[in-house]
Amino acid sequence: MNNDNTNQLAEAMFQVFRLMKDEMSFAKNVTHLSILQIHTLIFLSINKEVTMSDIAEYFHVELPSATSLLNKLCDQKLVRRSADENDRRLVKISLTNEGKTLLKLVMKERKIKLEKILSYLSPKERTDLLNILKILHTRLQNKNEK
């Protein structure tokens, strides 16, 4: 790819992601959580019980940053910490019922907003976009696993 295309692609991606971030932001009546906090709830809903290290590794942040992120969610009673039954030094993190309820609401709103954004694309364009994102994800993931 020549330099002009690379610059154009970088700028287009930035502009689209910025506009999508605005479109995907959640109304204050639904949640006051950041995107990272919401994705933490999603991660916990998929993985059930995780450690602080699991969260730090998944989000590519340092352990103190993951701790700060989780402290805020604990303060809001959306997640809980509990000692591991086999190793009391190990702390497991999981969603509370309040966290599960809020996440369902957020996911419902996210789906509605994403469907609105995707309505600007034809079915073929949606399929093409999904395929491109899958390819890019796979190649980046494989590069990082080497």
Side-chain angles (χ1 to χ4, degrees):
M1 180 179 280
N2 69 38
N3 197 31
D4 286 342
N5 286 348
T6 302
N7 291 336
Q8 289 177 359
L9 185 57
E11 184 60 23
M13 288 173 62
F14 172 78
Q15 294 296 334
V16 168
F17 293 152
R18 183 181 59 80
L19 291 170
M20 282 184 68
K21 183 180 179 231
D22 291 345
E23 286 290 322
M24 295 293 292
S25 66
F26 295 95
K28 293 294 182 198
N29 61 346
V30 174
T31 180
H32 50 283
L33 301 177
S34 70
I35 295 295
L36 186 57
Q37 289 170 323
I38 290 168
H39 280 277
T40 302
L41 297 180
I42 294 168
F43 179 73
L44 289 171
S45 74
I46 294 167
N47 295 286
K48 307 303 177 214
E49 283 189 342
V50 299
T51 65
M52 199 67 72
S53 296
D54 295 331
I55 291 171
E57 182 181 323
Y58 181 77
F59 288 108
H60 301 280
V61 298
E62 297 296 322
L63 212 46
S65 296
T67 300
S68 176
L69 172 67
L70 264 293
N71 285 344
K72 292 173 186 173
L73 294 171
C74 283
D75 290 346
Q76 296 175 53
K77 310 243 186 299
L78 299 174
V79 301
R80 78 170 77 59
R81 290 183 174 105
S82 55
D84 185 273
E85 293 175 9
N86 300 322
D87 183 352
R88 304 293 292 169
R89 297 168 298 170
L90 193 61
V91 176
K92 294 288 189 170
I93 300 151
S94 58
L95 282 176
T96 62
N97 287 335
E98 293 89 345
K100 291 174 186 175
T101 300
L102 179 65
L103 184 57
K104 283 181 187 174
L105 187 62
V106 166
M107 295 303 285
K108 181 179 176 184
E109 185 171 334
R110 181 174 92 160
K111 183 177 188 251
I112 291 167
K113 289 178 180 232
L114 193 53
E115 284 174 352
K116 179 182 175 198
I117 290 169
L118 293 175
S119 73
Y120 297 113
L121 300 175
S122 70
K124 183 186 180 324
E125 290 168 331
R126 286 183 216 175
T127 301
D128 291 345
L129 177 60
L130 178 60
N131 289 334
I132 289 167
L133 290 174
K134 284 180 176 180
I135 290 167
L136 190 55
H137 176 264
T138 299
R139 290 182 183 167
L140 286 171
Q141 189 170 356
N142 288 343
K143 174 192 149 277
N144 291 333
E145 290 175 357
K146 290 181 181 178

